[in-house]
Amino acid sequence: MHVPDGFINAPVSVAAGVAAAAAVAVSLRGARRELDERTAPLAGLVAAFIFAVQMLNFPVAAGTSGHLLGGALAAILVGPYTGVLCVSVVLLMQGILFADGGLTALGVNITVMGVVTVVVAYATFRGLLKVLPRTRRSVTVAAFTGALFSVPASAAAFTLLYAVGGTTDVAIGKVITAMVGVHVLIGIGEAAITAATVGAVIAVRPDLVHGARGLTAPLKLRVGGELVDAPAAAAEPVAARSTKKVWAVGMVSALALAGIVSSFASGSPDGLEKVAADKGIDAKADQYTHATAGSPLADYEIKDIGNEGLSVGLAGVIGVGATVAVGSGVFWAVRRRRTEEPAAAQPSAV
């Protein structure tokens, strides 16, 4: 789904870039309310995990593959505003380091892969939680459904942008039918990965899942033969538990996926690449050379290493490290702004 340079014309790319910049600005402000001392470092981990899983293309049809977009997963784990920032960081690192997704199309990709997926997934997720029982299983079911809907919605959003600013003359009806059709299949894989990841985290640390907050029933104590709500202090030890173990397990998982499992990913073109080739959307793409095509990590390989598996694995490990570093820096800065603002708002003592 990474849109390369040359698919969308300059005016629409600029407009999408403005929309993406506005969405990121709003998300930076909104993320201050979502991030705290526990979730700020986890947000960087979520970005790195999405980067790693996006390297794992899985087959969805004859000659076509798909990979995680990640908007649903990020929004449910760390919040919708922070989720937009997570996907944006991943797309930025992929474009700069790995020449994956055009730099002139960065706004298009953030809008389509970040904003649309987060909005659709989180709205679906929240809507389902209002009607489903207040249980952890409901969170997993809602996560699956939100992720499932987010992928074809993203494909439809790309088609809309292409209808307005496509660089080739292709019947839009054929494009949207092909795009949505193949991305419904990819959405099933997205939903399975999202539900499995959310389910795994909620099983061990439900307090760290943003989408599960407020669903846990209050702790009850029996006093004088009657059940009463426990004092708030009784719940503090759970909330105050360290996140170091979760972070370490998540980081090891991301490194293993990018460094080892990625070598076994499907080599077939992804949904957008396949539709673009079949329908002629990519007719003018060859006229554009990616600005970072000369990067030593371009195409997720280290050029000077002859062994393909080792080359891809090392590139993946570097990508995970770079993404977690940049993402963590961004989220710590956002978190710091949150803690500084109340202090700045207080009148100084005289």
Side-chain angles (χ1 to χ4, degrees):
M1 184 59 102
H2 292 76
V3 181
D5 298 316
F7 279 22
I8 306 294
N9 64 26
V12 174
S13 294
V14 170
V18 171
V24 169
V26 171
S27 297
L28 284 169
R29 190 170 186 84
R32 297 176 196 172
R33 300 190 298 271
E34 296 174 345
L35 296 171
D36 55 31
E37 64 278 359
R38 294 179 305 138
T39 56
L42 292 178
L45 174 63
V46 169
F49 186 79
I50 289 173
F51 173 90
V53 180
Q54 282 196 4
M55 292 185 66
L56 310 180
N57 280 49
F58 49 85
V60 295
T64 309
S65 69
H67 63 70
L68 182 82
L69 298 186
L73 178 62
I76 295 165
L77 287 180
V78 292
Y81 293 108
T82 308
V84 170
L85 298 180
C86 283
V87 178
S88 298
V89 167
V90 172
L91 292 171
L92 181 63
M93 301 307 295
Q94 290 171 331
I96 293 176
L97 295 180
F98 299 93
D100 188 11
L103 294 185
T104 64
L106 182 60
V108 172
N109 283 319
I110 290 175
T111 300
V112 170
M113 295 180 64
V115 179
V116 172
T117 56
V118 165
V119 170
V120 172
Y122 202 70
T124 303
F125 175 80
R126 278 298 176 195
L128 284 173
L129 287 185
K130 290 181 179 180
V131 298
L132 292 173
R134 296 168 63 84
T135 65
R136 295 178 182 178
R137 179 171 295 181
S138 295
V139 174
T140 305
V141 171
F144 181 96
T145 308
L148 177 63
F149 288 172
S150 72
V151 178
S154 179
F158 164 78
T159 305
L160 177 61
L161 291 176
Y162 185 80
V164 178
T167 57
T168 56
D169 186 15
V170 179
I172 297 303
K174 294 182 179 179
V175 175
I176 193 167
T177 299
M179 281 293 291
V180 173
V182 71
H183 283 89
V184 166
L185 300 177
I186 295 173
I188 296 173
E190 176 103 10
I193 294 170
T194 300
T197 305
V198 170
V201 177
I202 205 172
V204 295
R205 290 294 302 271
D207 58 303
L208 298 181
V209 179
H210 182 276
R213 292 178 181 178
L215 294 180
T216 305
L219 180 65
K220 298 287 186 179
L221 297 178
R222 187 174 295 278
V223 179
E226 296 183 358
L227 289 176
V228 298
D229 290 343
E236 280 185 8
V238 176
R241 287 166 57 190
S242 173
T243 61
K244 291 182 179 179
K245 184 175 181 180
V246 174
W247 196 94
V249 171
M251 192 63 185
V252 169
S253 299
L255 290 171
L257 290 172
I260 302 174
V261 183
S262 62
S263 299
F264 302 96
S266 172
S268 300
D270 66 24
L272 176 58
E273 292 172 335
K274 179 65 173 176
V275 172
D278 290 346
K279 305 300 180 184
I281 295 175
D282 60 355
K284 295 185 179 181
D286 291 341
Q287 300 175 13
Y288 297 83
T289 300
H290 198 288
T292 61
S295 167
L297 300 174
D299 298 324
Y300 299 92
E301 294 180 346
I302 298 180
K303 304 305 180 185
D304 295 333
I305 297 180
N307 184 289
E308 182 178 357
L310 181 60
S311 175
V312 172
L314 287 177
V317 168
I318 293 171
V320 167
T323 303
V324 77
V326 172
S328 297
V330 169
F331 298 124
W332 273 117
V334 173
R335 166 63 183 159
R336 186 175 180 180
R337 285 293 301 273
R338 173 182 172 177
T339 57
E340 289 176 349
E341 282 184 348
Q346 294 178 359
S348 58
V350 178

